[in-house]
Amino acid sequence: MPIRIPRGWELPESAASPEHLVLGRRRGLQLGLGGLIGGALGLPAGAALAQGAMAAPRNDRFVAGRDLSPERDVTSYNNYYEFGSSKSISAAAQRLPMKPWTVKIEGLVEKPMELDLDGLLKQVTLEERVLRHRCVEAWAMTAPWTGFPVSQLMKIAAPLGSAKYVVFETLADRATMPGLRQSWYPWPYSDGCTIAEANNELCFMAVGLFGKPVPAQNGGPMRILFPWKYGFKSSKSISRIRFVEQRPVGYWEKLQEAEYGFWANVNPEVPHPRWSQASERLLGSNERVPTKLFNGYGEFVAGLYTGLQGERLYA
């Protein structure tokens, strides 16, 4: 019987098995056949895409410590200002064409390139991670994402030694994104991190959600996840990745520098100027629970910020 030693930041889980874990077992039993399908399609070993499903082996190193949020809430309660400023943009986001999809890699790299998403996925190894997500608005969710460590993408991009930061830019398509008509916003949406943060094992590029491709409203077909940071750092529908020497200024930092900073690490002791960050509301149950430093992932990322006490590390 497998034995796992709980980490100190974990919260108790309920006795009931979440629906996804039950369905995930069925997907796991199908991986044998799925692997054959994936091999025929040229997909990475251990991953399979068939009939709109996305299956990949679960990485249990990152334990969320709480139940999954209901899929219906995760996919219908979304911030995506390109489609509108309300949370109910899921219908409008379906206008976004996600196939074919290309990503440009530019800036301080050995060779600028444009990658087709399907081709990129052949160069990485997919896995599933159940991760916590914390919005600066003080709501939170937990969801199963399929994707790959950003460190794998970094190897493909081959940044130069002079590159200190990475900028992830969201597609800006005026034909399908009505929010772009609001010219007072600094489009296109972008935000960035240090090279060290991008190479951290927790930094994740997601292409799947709940065992299916990431839907448009959640940032499909490809978005980045920084589970230890506030969600505004996680650019959606990424179409361009730039490597730069100077620290980038993100979308929300451009709009409200006093409220949103570069680092944006979750810290319950530092309030947003207009509300407390000491607790968070869980999607689905609406239960309020204490916020965890680094969103509970300090053991993986705290070392990134050693010696930076003089920086404004938290939004």
Side-chain angles (χ1 to χ4, degrees):
M1 176 178 180
I3 297 175
R4 182 177 63 80
I5 300 174
R7 297 181 174 92
W9 50 262
E10 292 183 32
L11 301 177
E13 295 181 342
S14 69
S17 297
E19 177 184 7
H20 168 70
L21 298 184
V22 176
L23 296 179
R25 180 179 180 275
R26 179 178 298 174
R27 288 205 310 274
L29 293 174
Q30 294 172 339
L31 277 176
L33 176 59
L36 295 176
I37 297 173
L41 295 176
L43 296 174
L49 300 175
Q51 299 179 348
M54 177 173 288
R58 169 74 58 81
N59 184 342
D60 288 324
R61 177 165 168 76
F62 309 102
V63 180
R66 58 175 58 152
D67 289 340
L68 292 178
S69 303
E71 182 177 357
R72 63 182 178 276
D73 292 315
V74 173
T75 57
S76 65
Y77 189 87
N78 312 103
N79 282 326
Y80 203 152
Y81 275 58
E82 285 84 343
F83 293 102
S85 57
S86 76
K87 296 291 191 293
S88 305
I89 54 82
S90 57
Q94 303 315 306
R95 305 171 189 169
L96 181 66
M98 297 197 295
K99 273 189 166 292
W101 191 270
T102 58
V103 180
K104 294 181 179 179
I105 296 179
E106 301 175 341
L108 300 175
V109 294
E110 291 183 3
K111 182 180 179 181
M113 63 187 78
E114 184 169 5
L115 298 173
D116 173 78
L117 180 56
D118 291 337
L120 171 60
L121 294 183
K122 294 177 182 179
Q123 301 180 60
V124 298
T125 302
L126 296 182
E127 62 183 62
E128 183 181 71
R129 297 182 181 182
V130 176
L131 297 170
R132 296 160 71 148
H133 176 91
R134 176 60 157 80
C135 182
V136 75
E137 296 170 342
W139 57 266
M141 67 181 190
T142 303
W145 300 91
T146 302
F148 54 94
V150 174
S151 59
Q152 294 185 14
L153 178 62
M154 300 285 282
K155 292 179 180 178
I156 296 170
L160 302 177
S162 55
K164 307 301 181 186
Y165 301 91
V166 195
V167 181
F168 301 92
E169 186 176 298
T170 296
L171 177 73
D173 182 6
R174 294 188 177 276
T176 60
M177 296 174 162
L180 297 181
R181 299 168 191 159
Q182 301 177 62
S183 58
W184 53 88
Y185 286 118
W187 309 116
Y189 191 103
S190 69
D191 218 316
C193 67
T194 66
I195 294 289
E197 288 175 317
N199 274 320
N200 183 272
E201 62 177 316
L202 192 58
C203 194
F204 199 59
M205 193 68 73
V207 294
L209 177 63
F210 284 98
K212 293 166 280 191
V214 176
Q217 66 269 24
N218 291 96
M222 184 172 83
R223 65 166 296 164
I224 192 167
L225 299 170
F226 296 96
W228 70 100
K229 293 178 177 287
Y230 291 118
F232 69 85
K233 294 296 290 187
S234 301
S235 300
K236 302 178 178 73
S237 306
I238 294 172
S239 64
R240 187 188 309 267
I241 300 171
R242 291 183 290 114
F243 290 83
V244 299
E245 186 174 6
Q246 300 299 318
R247 181 184 294 186
V249 180
Y251 176 93
W252 285 106
E253 190 177 1
K254 291 176 185 176
L255 282 172
Q256 295 170 291
E257 182 181 3
E259 297 187 358
Y260 303 100
F262 171 75
W263 298 103
N265 295 322
V266 175
N267 186 348
E269 296 183 1
V270 178
H272 183 280
R274 289 180 280 138
W275 56 79
S276 171
Q277 297 288 7
S279 67
E280 57 200 49
R281 176 179 61 86
L282 302 182
L283 288 191
S285 68
N286 285 325
E287 177 187 3
R288 293 206 75 90
V289 299
T291 297
K292 298 285 186 179
L293 180 64
F294 293 115
N295 203 24
Y297 294 107
E299 65 181 289
F300 299 106
V301 300
L304 292 171
Y305 309 103
T306 301
L308 297 179
Q309 290 84 354
E311 291 272 353
R312 187 163 68 93
L313 289 175
Y314 312 101

